[in-house]
Amino acid sequence: MKWLMREELEELKKKVMKQGWYVEDLLHSCSEAFKERDGNTAREIQQNYWKVYKEYLDILEFSQLIYGMFSPDRKELRFISGSVIISKILLDIADRIRDIAEDIVKLTKEPDINQSIAIPDMFKFAQRMLRKSLRIYVDQNLEGAPGVCSQDASMDESHEKFSDDVIKLIQDNPRIIRRGLTLMDISRALEEISDYSVQIIETTHYILTAKYYTCYKDELREFSIELFKGF
């Protein structure tokens, strides 16, 4: 029965990978839609979100079947529950991508402003973080995990700087407040996507070690009460 259990767990991993590919594709399409100010592509992204949702439901159902058919040991239980958590995180990322797509549709009706040029770099950063975090889950290898934490800290700084620049611009020219706030929403969503990528890392760490680790000041550290006080 052990070999059959391994096959089912591998199938679960493949399902999460498939959902991850959908989400990566959505994020890439969203980046292109922003650069090209393409409202049609942005609307397609909003529709394609439901593919990710369907994959999440499929993973949830499949994991329940595994629970019912087998008697998983502790490590197997961590993998099953962790995979479901990662699937939900991917769905959360797709939610934020859908929000960005909605904002892109709004922006196509407005003149562009110079601060928009910073957003494509944030898209690239978010895409790299998501790809790396999914690779760590698929490989079940934590070697690159600290690097993702470091990138998350950089993304936080980029979002903060971008928001400050846009606020100053709005103060100088209140007529662009709608465009400025929409761009800030997109920047915030991309920063949140990077946070979700970190959550994939943290969940994978728990699957492999049964210990709770969190990204703190661009390092992956074991969670503790003392660490919590520092947040």
Side-chain angles (χ1 to χ4, degrees), residues 84-183:
V84 171
I85 290 169
I86 289 173
S87 178
K88 178 57 170 62
I89 292 169
L90 289 170
L91 182 62
D92 290 337
I93 293 174
D95 273 322
R96 301 306 286 126
I97 294 171
R98 184 171 59 164
D99 292 339
I100 294 173
E102 184 178 342
D103 282 334
I104 291 172
V105 173
K106 295 176 186 176
L107 286 174
T108 59
K109 303 173 184 177
E110 300 278 351
D112 204 0
I113 59 178
N114 290 337
Q115 271 60 28
S116 298
I117 62 175
I119 295 292
D121 285 339
M122 296 187 72
F123 265 111
K124 290 178 183 176
F125 224 89
Q127 287 174 276
R128 286 198 298 268
M129 288 187 64
L130 177 58
R131 190 175 300 115
K132 287 181 179 178
S133 65
L134 286 172
R135 176 51 55 190
I136 286 171
Y137 163 75
V138 170
D139 292 344
Q140 295 288 284
N141 187 333
L142 295 168
E143 185 176 346
V148 177
C149 290
S150 179
Q151 289 175 336
D152 182 53
S154 297
M155 182 65 115
D156 291 343
E157 292 174 5
S158 296
H159 168 61
E160 185 176 349
K161 182 180 184 305
F162 180 82
S163 298
D164 289 343
D165 290 344
V166 171
I167 289 171
K168 290 176 184 176
L169 193 67
I170 291 173
Q171 289 171 341
D172 293 337
N173 186 1
R175 290 179 298 177
I176 65 164
I177 186 169
R178 181 182 297 176
R179 280 169 283 168
L181 292 177
T182 302
L183 287 172

Side-chain angles (χ1 to χ4, degrees), residues 5-50:
M5 180 65 169
R6 285 195 297 270
E7 286 190 354
E8 295 299 297
L9 295 181
E10 189 64 26
E11 183 63 24
L12 177 59
K13 182 194 291 186
K14 289 178 181 177
K15 288 179 179 294
V16 176
M17 287 169 58
K18 182 181 177 183
Q19 186 191 20
W21 291 334
Y22 278 139
V23 174
E24 282 192 54
D25 186 59
L26 283 182
L27 187 54
H28 175 74
S29 296
C30 203
S31 175
E32 293 300 310
F34 180 85
K35 286 188 289 186
E36 301 298 329
R37 296 176 65 83
D38 187 344
N40 290 330
T41 298
R43 292 184 185 93
E44 288 176 6
I45 290 166
Q46 292 174 297
Q47 292 299 318
N48 289 335
Y49 160 84
W50 296 107

Side-chain angles (χ1 to χ4, degrees), residues 1-13 62 65-72 76 79-80:
M1 290 294 286
K2 277 294 181 183
W3 65 269
L4 187 56
M5 180 65 169
R6 285 195 297 270
E7 286 190 354
E8 295 299 297
L9 295 181
E10 189 64 26
E11 183 63 24
L12 177 59
K13 182 194 291 186
F62 188 74
L65 286 174
I66 297 176
Y67 279 127
M69 293 173 60
F70 301 95
S71 299
E76 291 163 346
F79 181 82
I80 296 168

